[in-house]
Amino acid sequence: MTGSVRDSTLRRFRDALGDSPHSLDVTHADPGAVPLSARLALGDMAWASVTAAAIAAARLTSDVVQVQTDPVRVAVAFQSDRHLRINGATPDVWSPFSGFWRTADGWVRTHGNYPHHAAALRRGLDLPADAAPEDVARRLRALTSVDATTAVTAEDGLCVSVSPENPEADAALCERPAITVTRVTDASPAVRRFEDPGAPLRGIRVLDLTRVIAGPVATRTVALLGAEVLRIDPPRIPEPEWQHLDTGHGKRSALLAIAADAIRWRELLHSADVVVLGYRTEGLARLGLTPEALHSQHPRLVIARLTAWGSDAPARRGFDSLVQAASGISWIESVDGERPGALPAQGLDHSAGYLLAAGICAALRRQSVEGGGWIVETSLRRMAAELLRLPRQKDTSHTTVGDVTAHLQTFAVDGDTVTTAAPAVAYLGGPTRFSAPRRWGSDPAEWTASPGGPATER
């Protein structure tokens, strides 16, 4: 794709962040194409989302910004699961219960990477608990796509029909910005000093209530920028080890049943500057974790919220692969027009994650001047609409990554050797290396003794 497409996408993202391209001095070299092979302009959207995050981070300490987004580094970051190694081995990141399946009248896509979702898929298809993928295939072949989706969804499983694109729906979604940054309370300005471009968010405390990819990418990014990030997970739903190691850099990870240990949770919340929400709204509401409820008690919070399907369906379960299938991307990326295809990366997830991080930086910067509590929001479906609005290409054969050694980092994690993608967000004076990820659930649910950074009035 052309630089004009990439630059116009970045311009829209910056406008959405409240950062007019004419409001500060930003320079960047022409990086060339991001080597992500797709008919849709995923490389352009990937570059724009990473660069938007870099600009938002750099602007915390300077109005003269020089971003250094490397196209190969972006591709490696977006395909991080392909480059992840644990003791030299490549983890198996997809369950046999996740994928495309033929139905009586078309195709569906399912997601069963979490055991409880694979179990729900079997229940929805009226199969025994030990049913194999072959049993799932036979059952789905006998059902229409609508019937299969209805049955699986009724059991809290994840299944969508593989649908053609809907330009009218995408146009309606694109009437709203890809990322929104909104002041919602009248709290006085927080006293903050963003001083060190190498760690501009030092002293900021972030509660991370997300999992999978998009939310963890956002919180990994703010951890890279110096924030103290404490990820909180429910004890009863383990996270796949590989998934947390891939996105857990620089964070502490604790298990906490929020409803059962409300006192501990309130203590954590009292000292937080940012809360990042990635769970479905109905589950958060049961815990009193809607933005409205949080702001009523903590009017200075910056709340970043990610959903799969957006404000029209905030309670609907979803993952990047399912949004691709439902939005028309899978048919556009089909190799032969007969079997659905997919993007070469979980590009909706990653783009949303970087934009969410950019929104957090923008909200914190604006809050220090304007005051208020803020909400930052995006969704995977909105990112799909953004991608679908961009020009398309027929020839994708030239987009190869090549040697990626310079774009990886290796860590020792509790006796294991873990190799991951290195940071894609880069600007003059900014951080260049991740801190090591920690084991999922291995830390106490508490902040460190001191924020250890710029003065912050909480």
Side-chain angles (χ1 to χ4, degrees), residues 256-304:
L256 183 70
I258 292 175
D261 200 345
I263 294 176
R264 175 66 61 85
W265 170 250
R266 285 195 295 269
E267 290 172 347
L268 293 171
L269 194 56
H270 177 73
S271 296
D273 301 290
V274 179
V275 178
V276 187
L277 304 174
Y279 291 93
R280 291 183 305 129
T281 53
E282 62 184 32
L284 293 170
R286 286 196 296 269
L287 296 171
L289 299 181
T290 63
E292 296 78 12
L294 289 168
H295 275 139
S296 70
Q297 298 296 317
H298 306 279
R300 278 205 187 104
L301 274 178
V302 170
I303 299 172

Side-chain angles (χ1 to χ4, degrees), residues 12 40 170 174 176 382 384-392:
R12 282 194 299 275
L40 294 169
D170 293 324
C174 288
R176 286 175 55 85
R382 178 59 184 83
E386 188 70 24
L387 183 59
L388 288 161
R389 82 190 296 181
L390 301 180
R392 301 166 191 184

